[in-house]
Each structure stands twice: as C-alpha cells, then as structure tokens.
Amino acid sequence: MYSTSLLVVPALACRPSKERLRFGLLADSHYARKENWKNRRYDQSLAKTEEAVRIMNEEKVDFLLHLGDFKDEGNTPNREETLGFLDEIESVFQGFKGPTFHAIGNHDVDSITKADFLQHIENTGIARDKSYYSFDQNGFHCVVLDANYHKDGRDQFYAEGADWQDPNIPQTQLDWLKADLEKTNLPTLVFCHHPLYEFRRNDNQYHVNNFAEVQQIMEKSQKVMVVFQGHVHAEEHSKINGIHYITQLAMVDYEGLENNSFSIVEIKDHQIRIDGFKRVSDQLIE
C-alpha cells in the first residue's frame, strides 16, 4: 500500500450518513488466454481476481463492483471462446459472498454483443437486460452508467465496426439518470467505465463524447459526491464543480500477484477512504 493523501469533498455533495458503506472495486481485468501485449498479462487476471475476491470476503465488504473491461478476446476473435473467458472470470467473481455488480467496458462488447455479456454475468437484484441501473446500500445511492452506445442510441458492437473512441450516453439514459437522481435523497456514487471528463492520450480519446451533459445532470442534482472510472489504465483524480472523479488502475497490467491492483472504498459521514492494494494508492477524502 501507498501513503495516504488528503483531498477535500464539498459539504453540499457529501451529506452525512449514519451508516458506513464499504465496498470492493476492481477495474480492467481484460481476462483472456492470449499472447501478452505490451505490459498486459491477460491470463494472469484470473489469479489476480481470485486474490481480490478472497480479500473482499475476508474484509466482509458490503458489495463488489467491477468497472468494466472484465474480459478480453483471443488473438483470433471468436464468440464462443470469448464467452468461455467471460464465464471463467465471472465464476471467480461470483465467489464473493455478497452482492456483485458490473459496469460495461468497451472490451466487453468486442466479439460478443452487449446482450451476450449481460446474459453471462450477474448484477445482484438487477434485471438481466439492464446495462445501466441503480441501487441503494447502507444509506447511499449507487448509479452504474453504460457509455457503450452510438450517438443514435444503438448498442455498440466492435465486431461490426464500432469505434472505441466514440462512447456516448444516449438521451434515453440521460433522461433516466436525471429522473433517478430526482427520486433519491441519499448521497450518491456514480460508476462508469469511461471517463466523464475530458481525457486524451497519444491523440486518442478516452472520455464519453457528451460528458458535459452528464456532468450537468449530476451537478444540478447536488447529490453526487464521487464518480469512479476505469478504461485509461492509470490512476487519476480530478475535482470538477464539487464532484470528485477517481480513476482506478488496470488489474491486467504487469507481471504477477505482486502487481495486482484493486481497492476497498469506505464512506462514512464526510469521509471517503480508499484502501489501495498492491499498485493502488491509498487516499483519504474529507
């Protein structure tokens, strides 16, 4: 673990709760049995996930959530093989003795469709066909978004030529998010695979195209305290108009369990504490 750093959360968004919320957070495991690429060790993500689930069970966290790019595909994409990778890592993930949830990443809709992915994973208490959804836990509201859409609202499917640099939150989901936030009086956490603020690297776009519209809805609600994201395989923190945006490291990167990456997030009163494991930094937000 790394040393703890101190950040500040505005009182408006961080309303005290009598309860404590403590959950596990994983990102970008990209599990597949395929050749390594750069620093990615695809087949090692199964053992890394096993370690994370074991620790989450020992720590008795309230739920376990994966931020997307749960699995990958083989060197020669094949639907049945890809579903096999998904089933393998989901079986390990479901070893957690509590509620489990997924955000969908772009690599989760590569050689399989979004419907395929959803039918082979479990989001506890959520209908199988829902790729974006919300739930309450211990006095907090949790929202999971899905940006794997074309601008016209069609599901993206990379085997049919979708562009990974073109993620969108369509109007139907924006309307749902606004209504969902209006209905809750609880401090809210948002989870999304793709960054909800501008993020570019090496001339590539990683952010949701219409992130500004999503930000506006979250800010207007005055209920969202923090957004958790993956996708960029880097540890990032930004504070925008009173909301913290925290991006997690990728589990798939680097050799061996000593380079695993996952975290336990604890929220109580005005504090958000991130207990990082292995490569993930500790953070204290208050």
Side-chain angles (χ1 to χ4, degrees):
M1 299 184 192
Y2 289 65
S3 60
T4 298
S5 59
L6 185 65
L7 307 171
V8 178
V9 172
L12 181 64
C14 188
R15 300 174 184 175
S17 172
K18 295 180 181 179
E19 302 290 339
R20 180 182 71 157
L21 178 64
R22 197 162 170 265
F23 61 92
L25 197 60
L26 285 63
D28 295 271
S29 45
H30 285 265
Y31 173 64
R33 292 190 301 279
K34 64 186 290 187
E35 296 175 6
N36 298 333
W37 181 70
K38 296 185 178 180
N39 60 343
R40 299 186 185 184
R41 302 294 182 265
Y42 298 98
D43 62 346
Q44 294 186 13
S45 286
L46 205 63
K48 289 177 177 178
T49 302
E50 288 174 346
E51 179 180 55
V53 169
R54 175 180 58 80
I55 289 175
M56 299 304 170
N57 280 327
E58 291 172 355
E59 294 289 331
K60 295 181 172 59
V61 297
D62 296 311
F63 65 83
L64 182 60
L65 189 144
H66 195 288
L67 282 166
D69 283 359
F70 192 45
K71 97 293 171 296
D72 215 289
E73 61 184 0
N75 295 105
T76 301
N78 176 281
R79 178 179 180 272
E80 295 306 317
E81 181 182 56
T82 302
L83 287 173
F85 299 151
L86 176 55
D87 288 342
E88 282 186 79
I89 193 166
E90 175 68 0
S91 177
V92 172
F93 194 69
Q94 290 303 324
F96 175 65
K97 300 174 183 177
T100 55
F101 302 99
H102 297 262
I104 300 182
N106 52 298
H107 283 272
D108 296 322
V109 291
D110 46 21
S111 51
I112 64 173
T113 65
K114 187 180 295 183
D116 286 334
F117 182 83
L118 291 170
Q119 286 301 312
H120 284 253
I121 57 97
E122 179 180 352
N123 294 317
T124 303
I126 306 299
R128 284 276 186 182
D129 62 342
K130 302 298 183 184
S131 66
Y132 56 90
Y133 54 91
S134 64
F135 60 95
D136 293 342
Q137 183 80 42
N138 291 20
F140 294 88
H141 188 60
C142 299
V143 175
V144 179
L145 299 178
D146 172 17
N148 295 282
Y149 289 92
H150 295 283
K151 288 184 175 66
D152 62 8
R154 290 177 298 119
D155 285 337
Q156 290 183 330
F157 181 31
Y158 290 86
E160 295 181 345
D163 182 358
W164 70 271
Q165 295 186 73
D166 185 35
N168 301 274
I169 303 284
Q171 188 62 50
T172 300
Q173 190 174 167
L174 292 174
D175 294 343
W176 172 87
L177 175 62
K178 181 179 178 182
D180 183 77
L181 291 173
E182 287 175 349
K183 288 187 292 186
T184 187
N185 291 317
L186 300 176
T188 299
L189 290 63
V190 173
F191 304 87
C192 186
H193 176 69
H194 300 81
L196 292 175
Y197 60 88
E198 185 170 5
F199 190 104
R200 299 182 187 274
R201 185 170 60 203
N202 299 329
D203 297 323
N204 293 322
Q205 174 184 316
Y206 290 82
H207 57 267
V208 174
N209 278 323
N210 58 330
F211 68 85
E213 293 178 87
V214 184
Q215 286 183 1
Q216 185 178 40
I217 291 171
M218 295 191 298
E219 291 164 10
K220 188 175 181 180
S221 78
Q222 298 187 354
K223 296 167 185 174
V224 177
M225 54 194 300
V226 61
V227 177
F228 293 97
Q229 309 163 137
H231 191 44
V232 302
H233 292 225
E235 198 166 58
E236 294 283 337
H237 169 257
S238 294
K239 180 185 175 185
I240 304 169
N241 295 333
I243 298 174
H244 287 275
Y245 296 77
I246 297 174
T247 307
Q248 293 281 286
L249 290 176
M251 177 177 279
V252 70
D253 291 339
Y254 302 107
E255 186 81 24
L257 291 179
E258 64 271 22
N259 282 309
N260 206 350
S261 60
F262 55 93
S263 59
I264 292 176
V265 180
E266 180 178 328
I267 304 179
K268 185 178 181 181
D269 298 329
H270 291 284
Q271 284 193 339
I272 303 173
R273 182 184 298 274
I274 299 175
D275 188 7
F277 289 79
K278 307 294 177 74
R279 292 191 301 116
V280 179
S281 301
D282 295 344
Q283 297 182 52
L284 179 63
I285 303 171
E286 64 178 10

